[in-house]
Amino acid sequence: MTAIQHRKPFTALLVGGILATSLTACGGDDGGKASDTAAGAATTAAATAPAAAPMADPAADRAPAGQPFGTACAAVPKDGAGSFAGMAADPVATAASHNPLLSTLVAAVTKAGLVDTLNSAKDITVFAPTDDAFAKLPKKDLDAVLADKDKLTRILTYHVVPQRLSPTTLTGAHKTLETHEVTATGSTPDFTVNGSAKVLCGNVQTANATVYIVDTVLMPAS
């Protein structure tokens, strides 16, 4: 009985080992084929899957569409601080000081003490009258305005809208910093502001503003 009892466990272990070895060998063949099949499927899927869409750039959504437009844009220098690229790097009052069309406006902004206000503002639109626009005003009226800081400030802030307006959003009524509205009509490249001021060069970008150069000084309601 003792010999038989010792032999049975040994026999069971031997049979178990043979079965385990056989199963492992069989399983290895099937497993290898399955792995090869899975790898091939993964490779095929990767090759046929559409490329992932690039992540959206939030800055691209904020960037104004299009380029400057209008007949007066030809008078803007091609390079340097007064060029479109140069103006885009500076805040609006500084950028305007380099534009040969806007020397009277810059002098008025300086006299009113609005340089820092405009330069530090965020995302604004400026309707910028040219030197010729100011020249349309009778000299005595212009001198009177320049001598009256409060009135001058009202007129200048009436040319500023506290948001960026692209050509596609320009048409319509917009509240100004002065509080009264300006109204733009038309479409690119022909816009009119308040029924009489023509946009001569529009969608000019500065570091903090979109500028529309106009041929008439805008006057707020009394």
Side-chain angles (χ1 to χ4, degrees):
M1 289 295 294
T2 301
I4 293 173
Q5 288 174 346
H6 283 291
R7 191 177 296 118
K8 283 184 178 180
F10 175 79
T11 303
L13 288 173
L14 180 60
V15 172
I18 293 171
L19 288 174
T21 302
S22 299
L23 290 173
T24 300
C26 293
D29 290 341
D30 292 343
K33 290 177 182 178
S35 298
D36 290 344
T37 302
T43 302
T44 302
T48 58
M55 292 183 65
D57 180 4
D61 294 335
R62 295 193 298 269
Q67 299 297 318
F69 62 85
T71 56
C73 292
V76 175
K78 300 300 182 185
D79 51 36
S83 66
F84 291 127
M87 292 177 69
D90 290 324
V92 64
T94 301
S97 71
H98 299 304
N99 189 304
L101 301 174
L102 304 176
S103 58
T104 305
L105 174 62
V106 171
V109 167
T110 302
K111 194 171 185 66
L114 293 174
V115 172
D116 290 341
T117 299
L118 293 178
N119 276 348
S120 61
K122 182 179 180 181
D123 292 337
I124 58 177
T125 294
V126 176
F127 296 99
T130 63
D131 293 348
D132 289 341
F134 280 99
K136 290 180 181 181
L137 300 175
K139 187 176 186 305
K140 65 175 183 178
D141 292 344
L142 178 58
D143 289 344
V145 168
L146 292 175
D148 186 336
K149 186 175 180 179
D150 289 340
K151 188 171 184 178
L152 179 60
T153 298
R154 281 195 60 220
I155 292 173
L156 293 175
T157 54
Y158 183 62
H159 289 74
V160 183
V161 174
Q163 66 182 97
R164 280 191 188 259
L165 297 173
S166 71
T168 58
T169 58
L170 182 60
T171 299
H174 308 284
K175 190 174 182 179
T176 68
L177 291 183
E178 185 272 339
T179 70
H180 286 88
E181 292 181 342
V182 294
T183 301
T185 56
S187 59
T188 307
D190 299 313
F191 287 102
T192 301
V193 184
N194 285 1
S196 60
K198 299 292 185 181
V199 173
L200 301 177
C201 183
N203 201 36
V204 178
Q205 301 303 311
T206 75
N208 67 326
T210 298
V211 178
Y212 292 88
I213 299 174
V214 294
D215 68 354
T216 303
V217 177
L218 307 176
M219 292 295 182
S222 300

